[in-house]
Amino acid sequence: MTVSKTAEKSSEKPADTAKGRKDAAEGSGEALQLGELSEQLGYVLKRAQLKVFENFLRCMASLQLTPAQFSVLLLVEKNPGRNQTEIASTLGILRPNFVAMLDNLESRDLCARIRSTNDRRSHILVLTDKGKAVLARAKKLVATKHEARLNDLLGPSNREALLGMLSKIANEF
Amino acid sequence: MTVSKTAEKSSEKPADTAKGRKDAAEGSGEALQLGELSEQLGYVLKRAQLKVFENFLRCMASLQLTPAQFSVLLLVEKNPGRNQTEIASTLGILRPNFVAMLDNLESRDLCARIRSTNDRRSHILVLTDKGKAVLARAKKLVATKHEARLNDLLGPSNREALLGMLSKIANEF
DNA sequence: TATTGTTATACTCTATAACTATA
DNA sequence: TATAGTTATAGAGTATAACAATA
């Protein structure tokens, strides 16, 4: 099966905010007013997340890695010798859904399942040599193209502050 | 692909000094190290977004409104007299997918489609009286339960800074 | 009996093509 | 011809139940 299709970007893009307007008359070509929507953290958070993932995919086009796949490779590299359940649950992926994902990565020779000698029910996960090489290239692409662009947009200290607040929400909310 | 793994059941107990450990002991009950993952903005952004939506749904359980439905009601209230295409595209919803969403809101008597007299192809969207009342209650719930909790977690000025950075990403990235 | 990996399945979101009725 | 709303459909992502092998 095809691992990925040449995903065209034809999704809808949101209109810009137009300040200082009153109720729109029917049929007018004017931009809509977002109103309170632009103050809803959840709304803005979702839009930002879509933009960031979109850019991530563009930056990783040459390696054909999705954000989820990248996170799996990173976690397996950092935690060699762990089984599927441990890696999946840490990433918030349900075990049944992790199977096809691993099938994909394994078919591309990026990682491998190894039957554990301690507990023959478990599959220990490790990166292959190719997986390590691809991950190294991926990290470089992410750092120089993706995260660097975020840095340009926000500034390093703001980017760090943003990361801190998002982590706080992710961990304590 | 060789993997040197000789892990015994009773493994050694390496401290989580990020430096001194290469192989994680197999089967150890230790928590995994996120490593570079916790510095990936996209990863943290996604986790935070899931948490925020989850909390939103809990706060709105009594009104049975999803974040997407809430955003539609807000936008229709702020922009009465606009048609489906305008509302949907502003929210980044594709027109075909907007149909079922509107069917739902209309069946609950929260909003109504009105055939335009100017262009009989268009459906003008408006909130019903019940829709306005429900939206008012929803706004109050969001403000007092949802956004207020974000405020408690981050502090008002941090929350505002977070919103600003996310908006910048959503609009300029 | 409980757990690991797996299959099957279903439901939501998102995306594209094509139809209809108007323009 | 082009556009608004719609239908059908396909693909991801996510969720639960259940089964075989193993503990």
Side-chain angles (χ1 to χ4, degrees):
Chain A
M1 296 296 100
T2 5
V3 164
S4 70
K5 54 194 169 118
T6 343
E8 271 292 18
K9 274 232 46 10
S10 65
S11 64
E12 293 293 302
K13 57 172 200 281
D16 206 45
T17 351
K19 292 283 187 173
R21 326 206 115 284
K22 254 347 198 112
D23 281 2
E26 175 183 341
S28 68
E30 303 168 30
L32 277 69
Q33 298 177 261
L34 284 190
E36 304 170 59
L37 215 43
S38 51
E39 291 296 317
Q40 294 292 325
L41 191 70
Y43 178 76
V44 182
L45 194 48
K46 176 73 176 181
R47 301 308 290 242
Q49 184 259 309
L50 290 173
K51 277 291 189 74
V52 168
F53 269 42
E54 198 180 287
N55 181 264
F56 183 99
L57 285 171
R58 273 199 303 272
C59 292
M60 297 295 249
S62 62
L63 296 179
Q64 288 289 93
L65 283 181
T66 66
Q69 290 168 335
F70 180 65
S71 71
V72 170
L73 296 183
L74 267 184
L75 197 63
V76 171
E77 182 195 48
K78 186 73 177 179
N79 300 273
R82 298 297 194 144
N83 66 26
Q84 295 183 197
T85 297
E86 290 172 311
I87 298 292
S89 79
T90 298
L91 293 173
I93 302 171
L94 291 168
R95 271 71 82 224
N97 299 331
F98 196 46
V99 174
M101 219 180 144
L102 269 186
D103 288 347
N104 180 321
L105 294 175
E106 202 171 22
S107 74
R108 293 160 68 183
D109 192 30
L110 298 180
C111 82
R113 293 183 241 228
I114 301 174
R115 185 128 256 154
S116 167
T117 52
N118 295 339
D119 184 341
R120 292 179 45 73
R121 293 172 300 184
S122 298
H123 287 172
I124 294 314
L125 297 182
V126 292
L127 294 192
T128 62
D129 291 340
K130 183 182 172 192
K132 289 173 188 167
V134 166
L135 179 56
R137 287 211 285 152
K139 284 183 191 177
K140 202 160 279 183
L141 280 180
V142 167
T144 62
K145 287 195 190 314
H146 182 66
E147 299 280 1
R149 187 150 164 240
L150 261 316
N151 248 325
D152 289 349
L153 183 66
L154 303 173
S157 78
N158 278 335
R159 186 195 162 281
E160 204 53 42
L162 174 62
L163 199 64
M165 287 191 274
L166 292 174
S167 297
K168 192 158 193 175
I169 292 174
N171 295 318
E172 303 172 32
F173 192 60
Chain B
M1 183 56 219
T2 32
V3 179
S4 61
K5 55 175 328 323
T6 340
E8 285 300 318
K9 199 79 161 247
S10 51
S11 61
E12 60 287 339
K13 198 74 190 61
D16 69 334
T17 57
K19 193 56 170 163
R21 49 188 264 136
K22 185 68 172 79
D23 297 346
E26 174 182 341
S28 67
E30 304 168 27
L32 278 69
Q33 299 177 262
L34 283 190
E36 305 171 58
L37 215 43
S38 51
E39 291 296 317
Q40 294 292 326
L41 190 69
Y43 177 75
V44 182
L45 195 47
K46 177 74 173 180
R47 303 302 292 240
Q49 184 259 308
L50 290 173
K51 277 291 188 74
V52 168
F53 269 42
E54 197 179 287
N55 181 264
F56 184 98
L57 285 172
R58 272 199 303 272
C59 292
M60 298 294 248
S62 62
L63 296 180
Q64 287 287 96
L65 283 182
T66 67
Q69 291 169 334
F70 180 65
S71 71
V72 170
L73 296 184
L74 267 185
L75 197 62
V76 170
E77 181 195 49
K78 186 72 176 182
N79 300 273
R82 297 297 195 144
N83 65 27
Q84 294 184 199
T85 297
E86 291 171 310
I87 298 292
S89 78
T90 299
L91 293 173
I93 302 171
L94 292 167
R95 272 70 85 227
N97 299 332
F98 196 46
V99 174
M101 218 179 143
L102 270 188
D103 288 348
N104 180 320
L105 294 175
E106 202 171 22
S107 74
R108 294 159 68 182
D109 192 29
L110 299 180
C111 81
R113 292 183 243 227
I114 303 175
R115 185 128 256 155
S116 168
T117 51
N118 297 339
D119 184 340
R120 291 179 44 74
R121 293 171 302 185
S122 298
H123 288 171
I124 294 313
L125 298 182
V126 292
L127 295 191
T128 62
D129 289 342
K130 182 182 171 193
K132 289 173 188 167
V134 167
L135 179 55
R137 286 210 286 154
K139 284 184 190 177
K140 201 161 281 182
L141 280 178
V142 167
T144 61
K145 287 195 189 317
H146 182 65
E147 299 281 0
R149 187 150 163 240
L150 260 318
N151 249 326
D152 289 348
L153 183 66
L154 302 173
S157 77
N158 279 335
R159 187 195 163 281
E160 205 52 43
L162 174 61
L163 199 65
M165 287 191 274
L166 292 174
S167 297
K168 193 159 190 173
I169 292 175
N171 296 317
E172 302 173 32
F173 192 60

